[in-house]
Amino acid sequence: MLKAKPDGIYALNKDGEERKISGPIEVKAIVSSPDKRDDFGRLIEWKNYFGLSIREVLPMGEVDDYSAKKFKKRLLNSGFELSTKKFSWDSLLSYLIEYPCSEHAITAKQSGWIDRQFITPDWTIGEATTPAVYVGDFAGASLSEAGTLTEWQQQVGSYCRDNPILILSVCCALAAPLIEWTGIESFGVQIVGASKTGKSTAMKVAASVYSDQTYCESWSSTANGLESIARARNNMLLCLDEFKQCPEQEMDRLVYHLCNGVSKLRSEKDGSLGKRYRWNTIFLSTGELTLKELLHDNNKTVSAGQMVRLLDIPTFGAFDVFENIHEFSSPKEFAEHLGSATRKYFGTLAKAWVKILSRLNCPQDEVIKEYRCIREEWPWAKDIGSQANNVLDKLALLAAAGEIATNHGLLPWHLGDAKGALKQVAMVWLDDRDGTENAENKKLTEDILKLIKKWRHSLSSKEQWNDSFIGMFEFEQELVWYIPQQIFKTEVNQPNKQIYSKVRELMWKKGWLSSNEPDRRTFKIGSKRFFKFFPEKICRECGESVDLSHFHPNDNSLNSNANPTFPVSQSENY
């Protein structure tokens, strides 16, 4: 029989004598998954040798595993006092399992929102009918705190003003807890610039929202390692420094994996399918090269899907990452101040932020309303390319996070600062990718222009055409080409591109084709089908200079004067 006392747990022998077997320990709640069907355990709280209280879950699944050997090891490693006498642990374990408890808590295997509570490996904020407790992977936990929110605002936050990339970094950190409310998929922002341009300082500023500088991780981790960290950072910012350290063979796949937010399928030891985990996150990365450049160096090509999942933002400030160094004499001095300040003041803004979000009546409604309002105000129409639209929605979400936090007094900025900074970032991103056109459409357009250049010396007039020519031309209101359908299809699909239907639909949508068979997009002459299109219009609208002057008839107005006379001025001087 065991008896709890203020200084620990005692065993009573048959003679009623007491023998201390452990330090103070008690059961605080029965825990289970939210649906009460899985993950049962007991929430145990104990004190170590120094009187520090520690809480952790004893999973029921571990009880038969060598008498909960894993949990016993965690207790001892934490400084828990446990007698070495025979049967002490078995007696204590039975006491913990059988102890009556009516309280219930929900197990959370990853960080993030459960009802109105925000769960992390280190703290929980918010109130709910049933409290939640973190039982997941503790990879990359380290959510420490130092200084006050006011000190962070004064020494870090205030210096972000008039610095769009620093504002971008802070807004990434603040937007991560909002992302699952919006329907926007996880995505990354990569600050791209040469070495020693302030990229790491921007990441330190973002990390200081949550914790100290150990919060930053490296791309050099394995895929499994990054997955564990992403799960622990669900609904939180994930900082990944130096993209070039990412394993070459996994670089493109990891971008998709992080953004898709689903763990890999795995089998259990018994062959059954393991549980899959999901996460929503925003990750901030730094690199000297863009994803496109790094993949090119590895003989790979970047896909449009990757480009809208990892947004490459080049440094564009007057001092690379920095636009305004405030009262400091040099960018170096400014960066050193931010580096020092983020080592002293950190971890307070995230807690204050989720506390405000947890208290809002309908936080998702406020977030969605704000980010849609910002998106509507921006000067880019909604009918631009879907990929550009997707990215602008993401940047508008970042701006909304900054504006809401500013409105609640968490950021030492003026209303409009975040919105203006993210608008500037959006303009840079669009300029860097050369417009709002979808990346696939840009590539298709390049293919069309290549064919125009290739065919321009292989066509005859419509009256002289025969099968020895690629196609024929004539003039309507402007130059028109006719290319036989099969030739067009064969040439477009070289080498093994299989993009014929995409090229055809793009040309039709842009008004570059003329057809008397709209369902086919072709132009039928007798029994033959052609692609009838306007090469000069295509070149003009694409801003491409291609010499097509030899298709134009001679201009008779340039003939010599048959009856020349001297001008009066000339005759007077003759």
Side-chain angles (χ1 to χ4, degrees):
M1 181 178 177
L2 299 185
K3 181 179 180 181
K5 287 188 175 185
D7 65 332
I9 304 298
Y10 287 78
L12 300 177
N13 62 22
K14 296 180 180 179
D15 299 327
E17 294 179 350
E18 296 180 349
R19 177 175 59 86
K20 187 177 181 181
I21 65 169
S22 79
I25 189 168
E26 61 179 318
V27 179
K28 305 298 289 187
I30 304 297
V31 300
S32 72
S33 60
D35 61 4
K36 300 181 181 179
R37 293 176 178 270
D38 198 8
D39 298 332
F40 273 86
R42 296 201 155 210
L43 178 60
I44 311 297
E45 181 176 282
W46 66 91
K47 291 185 178 180
N48 67 7
Y49 287 109
F50 297 105
L52 296 177
S53 294
I54 302 170
R55 281 192 177 191
E56 195 167 327
V57 170
L58 166 61
M60 290 296 98
E62 287 187 13
V63 170
D64 290 334
D65 182 15
Y66 303 102
S67 297
K69 186 177 180 180
K70 291 181 181 179
F71 188 73
K72 178 184 178 182
K73 186 175 181 179
R74 292 197 293 273
L75 281 171
L76 295 174
N77 283 338
S78 73
F80 179 67
E81 179 186 358
L82 179 64
S83 172
T84 59
K85 297 290 185 181
K86 190 176 181 180
F87 304 123
S88 292
W89 170 243
D90 290 340
S91 298
L92 181 61
L93 180 61
S94 298
Y95 170 79
L96 296 176
I97 294 171
E98 297 169 1
Y99 190 88
C101 185
S102 60
E103 297 297 322
H104 178 230
I106 294 172
T107 53
K109 288 195 171 182
Q110 58 192 57
S111 64
W113 292 105
I114 294 182
D115 294 329
R116 304 299 292 273
Q117 301 170 94
F118 195 86
I119 317 300
T120 77
D122 297 275
W123 44 261
T124 297
I125 288 177
E127 297 181 359
T129 304
T130 305
V133 57
Y134 186 86
V135 297
D137 195 332
F138 281 78
S142 64
L143 293 182
S144 53
E145 181 180 343
T148 65
L149 177 58
T150 300
E151 288 173 321
W152 183 92
Q153 292 170 336
Q154 292 172 342
Q155 299 301 321
V156 180
S158 63
Y159 290 107
C160 295
R161 291 202 65 205
D162 302 322
N163 282 295
I165 291 182
L166 294 183
I167 289 178
L168 165 71
S169 301
V170 172
C171 288
C172 284
L174 294 176
L178 313 180
I179 189 169
E180 72 174 30
W181 297 337
T182 64
I184 294 176
E185 72 270 21
S186 297
F187 64 94
V189 173
Q190 176 162 237
I191 302 171
V192 182
S195 178
K196 305 299 182 183
T197 53
K199 304 186 303 295
S200 294
T201 300
M203 180 167 286
K204 290 174 184 176
V205 168
S208 72
V209 173
Y210 287 89
S211 187
D212 61 11
Q213 294 174 16
T214 63
Y215 188 81
C216 298
E217 302 290 342
S218 171
W219 277 104
S220 62
S221 305
T222 64
N224 289 342
L226 283 179
E227 180 181 304
S228 295
I229 294 169
R231 283 167 48 194
R233 299 281 166 81
N234 179 51
N235 293 158
M236 296 194 293
L237 178 70
L238 175 58
C239 293
L240 295 170
D241 205 8
E242 291 298 339
F243 189 42
K244 66 181 179 182
Q245 293 182 4
C246 182
E248 294 179 2
Q249 67 276 13
E250 297 189 69
M251 188 176 291
D252 50 348
R253 187 176 62 83
L254 277 177
V255 171
Y256 273 117
H257 187 51
L258 285 175
C259 295
N260 289 344
V262 182
S263 63
K264 294 186 293 185
L265 282 172
R266 296 182 176 88
S267 297
E268 301 289 1
K269 293 180 179 179
D270 61 1
S272 62
L273 191 62
K275 185 175 181 179
R276 301 190 76 180
Y277 295 95
R278 300 179 183 274
W279 58 82
N280 289 288
T281 188
I282 294 174
F283 61 93
L284 184 65
S285 173
T286 63
E288 295 180 23
L289 298 175
T290 65
L291 174 63
K292 182 178 181 179
E293 291 168 334
L294 283 167
L295 291 180
H296 181 267
D297 289 348
N298 294 311
N299 298 315
K300 296 181 180 180
T301 57
V302 66
S303 69
Q306 290 166 333
M307 291 174 67
V308 299
R309 285 171 170 82
L310 179 60
L311 315 183
D312 286 313
I313 308 297
T315 57
F316 58 87
F319 307 98
D320 298 308
V321 163
F322 312 128
E323 179 67 31
N324 184 341
I325 60 173
H326 296 270
E327 72 270 19
F328 296 93
S329 61
S330 69
K332 181 176 182 292
E333 186 180 335
F334 184 53
E336 288 173 348
H337 166 78
L338 289 175
S340 174
T342 54
R343 287 192 294 270
K344 296 177 182 177
Y345 315 111
F346 51 81
T348 53
L349 179 56
K351 295 177 79 171
W353 176 232
V354 297
K355 185 178 291 185
I356 284 176
L357 294 175
S358 69
R359 291 175 177 175
L360 294 176
N361 289 331
C362 295
Q364 52 267 60
D365 293 344
E366 182 170 338
V367 170
I368 292 172
K369 180 181 178 181
E370 181 67 20
Y371 107 79
R372 286 180 178 172
C373 179
I374 291 172
R375 181 64 187 88
E376 292 291 340
E377 288 180 10
W378 281 355
W380 302 285
K382 286 297 185 73
D383 60 354
I384 61 177
S386 59
Q387 291 158 14
N389 226 336
N390 180 285
V391 170
L392 290 175
D393 282 347
K394 292 170 179 174
L395 295 178
L397 171 62
L398 302 185
E403 293 298 319
I404 294 170
T406 301
N407 190 48
H408 284 277
L410 297 183
L411 294 172
W413 306 344
H414 296 311
L415 287 175
D417 282 355
K419 183 167 57 176
L422 270 297
K423 178 182 175 182
Q424 193 171 349
V425 169
M427 293 175 66
V428 169
W429 185 83
L430 289 170
D431 288 345
D432 199 52
R433 80 189 296 266
D434 195 24
T436 59
E437 184 71 85
N438 279 354
E440 292 103 327
N441 289 351
K442 290 175 67 177
K443 183 64 175 67
L444 295 176
T445 301
E446 291 172 2
D447 290 334
I448 295 168
L449 290 169
K450 287 178 182 177
L451 290 176
I452 290 175
K453 294 175 183 178
K454 179 179 179 179
W455 289 336
R456 59 184 169 146
H457 297 300
S458 304
L459 280 75
S460 73
S461 65
K462 194 173 182 181
E463 296 78 15
Q464 298 175 332
W465 182 73
N466 58 56
D467 290 341
S468 64
F469 294 94
I470 286 287
M472 56 188 177
F473 70 90
E474 68 173 356
F475 283 90
E476 294 178 349
Q477 292 181 335
E478 64 175 298
L479 177 64
V480 180
W481 284 6
Y482 297 83
I483 305 295
Q485 180 189 22
Q486 191 55 48
I487 291 178
F488 187 93
K489 184 175 182 179
T490 300
E491 290 285 331
V492 163
N493 281 339
Q494 292 290 335
N496 300 319
K497 290 182 178 179
Q498 301 302 315
I499 58 172
Y500 163 73
S501 61
K502 293 181 180 179
V503 168
R504 179 190 65 192
E505 294 308 311
L506 175 65
M507 294 178 72
W508 179 256
K509 180 181 178 181
K510 288 184 173 290
W512 296 343
L513 283 180
S514 179
S515 172
N516 57 10
E517 296 181 302
D519 291 341
R520 293 177 178 268
R521 314 300 195 216
T522 52
F523 196 93
K524 193 170 185 179
I525 301 176
S527 61
K528 293 183 179 292
R529 288 191 169 92
F530 297 83
F531 266 85
K532 178 183 178 182
F533 60 95
F534 311 103
E536 288 183 320
K537 180 181 181 182
I538 294 172
C539 294
R540 185 170 61 250
E541 292 185 1
C542 294
E544 186 77 11
S545 178
V546 179
D547 185 8
L548 301 175
S549 60
H550 58 283
F551 287 100
H552 291 267
N554 292 330
D555 189 345
N556 293 329
S557 64
L558 298 180
N559 289 345
S560 299
N561 190 345
N563 300 294
T565 60
F566 286 107
V568 174
S569 62
Q570 294 292 334
S571 62
E572 288 176 350
N573 296 327
Y574 183 71

